[in-house]
Amino acid sequence: MEIFQHILNALQFGSFYALIALGYTLVYGVLRLINFAHGDIFMVGAYIAYFVAVTLLGIGGLHLGMDMHPALALAITVPATMILTALVGVALERTMYRPLRRKGANRLYVVITALMAGLMLENGNLALLGASRKRFPDLLEKVVWDLGGGVSVTNLKVIVIVAAIAVFLLLQFIVTRTKIGMAMRGISYDKFAIPLMGIPLDTIIVFTFILGSSMAGLAGILFAMSYPILEPYMGALIGWKAFIAAVVGGIGDIRGAIVGGFLLGFIEIGVVAVFPSTLRDLFAFSVLLIILWLRPTGIFGVAQTTKI
């Protein structure tokens, strides 16, 4: 029965990795750009959720007399966080990535800019809010369901897993079944021919950043509710892990992001169940390295040719 408990824990961790990896995959699938600031957008989403929640609950420094019920505050915090985090992603695209793209800058410079953007978000948060950690308020009453045999699951854990699966199905539908999804796939093949067909290139790119950043915001609020201690560098390690999960699954493929995220979660929890927790990252990254050695394009990735 202990195995079933580990499976539930792995599904929860994998859900966080998958939600963030979806953002990497969307941006790379359209622009062939690895947005290394995405992990820090996740961190910004968690902080946005914190300030929205404490304001609505009336427990923060900014007291507006909104002593809302936690359930109502949660219902408002989730969409507000996703919208505001999406605006952060769009702002990065407009101010940093778009000028380089219009000037035809080498892809290496765009990657360096993405790394710089992530450092700016981290250290900007540190400068504005300080190094002290913040505790996320309780928005959801914890309910523990005993499944028997010492196996238990909380309502929040179920919400996290269901949210990751629902987001995957939604994005898969958008990309494969809608006109804007067709345009996104078309840009990934030939971004120079798409404007000639009357499709607004910048609009599609902005929509892609909105989708990816809002998913990072959703992951931020779910992570903050599960592990309610926030600090400025919380997005660095989980962002890198989610990126590796996206690469292992086949970056650019939505199925790869979800599979890679859950695979990483299962590997980490499996290692902790057998070995000391200090070896978690060593074993997890070693296994993922072996997978990439055997299949360099990732699980769902395909080799691509570049026109010269």
Side-chain angles (χ1 to χ4, degrees):
M1 298 304 293
E2 185 179 354
I3 294 177
F4 290 104
Q5 187 66 61
H6 290 316
I7 290 175
L8 291 173
N9 295 335
L11 288 173
Q12 183 186 25
F13 268 92
S15 297
F16 293 130
Y17 294 140
L19 284 171
I20 302 173
L22 285 169
Y24 281 111
T25 289
L26 283 172
V27 174
Y28 182 83
V30 174
L31 294 178
R32 294 293 183 260
L33 161 66
I34 299 175
N35 183 18
F36 282 117
H38 194 68
D40 296 298
I41 294 177
F42 156 81
M43 175 271 297
V44 171
Y47 271 86
I48 289 175
Y50 167 79
F51 285 109
V52 172
V54 297
T55 300
L56 295 177
L57 294 175
I59 60 176
L62 182 60
H63 194 291
L64 302 179
M66 299 183 181
D67 299 328
M68 286 188 182
H69 189 276
L72 179 58
L74 175 62
I76 297 175
T77 301
V78 172
T81 299
M82 295 178 68
I83 293 171
L84 294 175
T85 308
L87 293 177
V88 174
V90 172
L92 289 180
E93 192 277 330
R94 291 292 299 269
T95 59
M96 297 188 180
Y97 303 145
R98 183 179 297 186
L100 293 176
R101 187 176 72 250
R102 288 183 172 176
K103 292 180 180 179
N106 188 284
R107 194 173 299 173
L108 175 62
Y109 300 126
V110 183
V111 171
I112 294 174
T113 301
L115 291 170
M116 178 198 68
L119 292 174
M120 288 178 61
L121 291 176
E122 291 176 2
N123 293 282
N125 187 346
L126 184 65
L128 290 174
L129 304 178
S132 60
R133 298 182 175 183
K134 299 186 180 298
R135 189 186 187 284
F136 196 83
D138 296 324
L139 296 178
L140 187 67
E141 184 179 355
K142 185 177 181 180
V143 178
V144 180
W145 294 307
D146 189 359
L147 304 182
V151 179
S152 62
V153 61
T154 64
N155 55 343
L156 182 57
K157 186 173 294 186
V158 173
I159 290 173
V160 171
I161 298 171
V162 171
I165 296 174
V167 166
F168 161 69
L169 294 176
L170 175 63
L171 292 181
Q172 185 73 4
F173 173 79
I174 291 175
V175 172
T176 60
R177 301 292 183 181
T178 64
K179 289 184 178 180
I180 195 167
M182 185 182 298
M184 292 167 64
R185 287 183 284 130
I187 292 175
S188 67
Y189 287 113
D190 194 337
K191 65 179 180 180
F192 299 105
I194 286 294
L196 301 177
M197 302 172 66
I199 299 175
L201 181 64
D202 289 338
T203 301
I204 303 300
I205 292 175
V206 167
F207 180 75
T208 303
F209 272 87
I210 289 174
L211 282 180
S213 299
S214 62
M215 295 308 105
L218 178 61
I221 185 173
L222 292 176
F223 188 87
M225 292 174 64
S226 302
Y227 307 98
I229 302 299
L230 310 183
E231 52 95 12
Y233 297 101
M234 61 181 288
L237 181 58
I238 192 172
W240 280 107
K241 288 184 176 181
F243 166 66
I244 293 172
V247 172
V248 168
I251 192 165
D253 192 298
I254 293 178
R255 298 169 302 168
I258 200 81
V259 170
F262 282 120
L263 178 62
L264 179 57
F266 274 95
I267 292 174
E268 286 192 347
I269 296 300
V271 170
V272 173
V274 179
F275 302 99
S277 60
T278 53
L279 299 177
R280 179 182 63 182
D281 292 341
L282 174 63
F283 274 77
F285 290 144
S286 298
V287 171
L288 297 179
L289 182 62
I290 293 173
I291 294 174
L292 289 177
W293 178 60
L294 296 174
R295 189 172 176 81
T297 59
I299 297 174
F300 290 100
V302 294
Q304 296 181 350
T305 58
T306 302
K307 294 180 181 181
I308 299 179

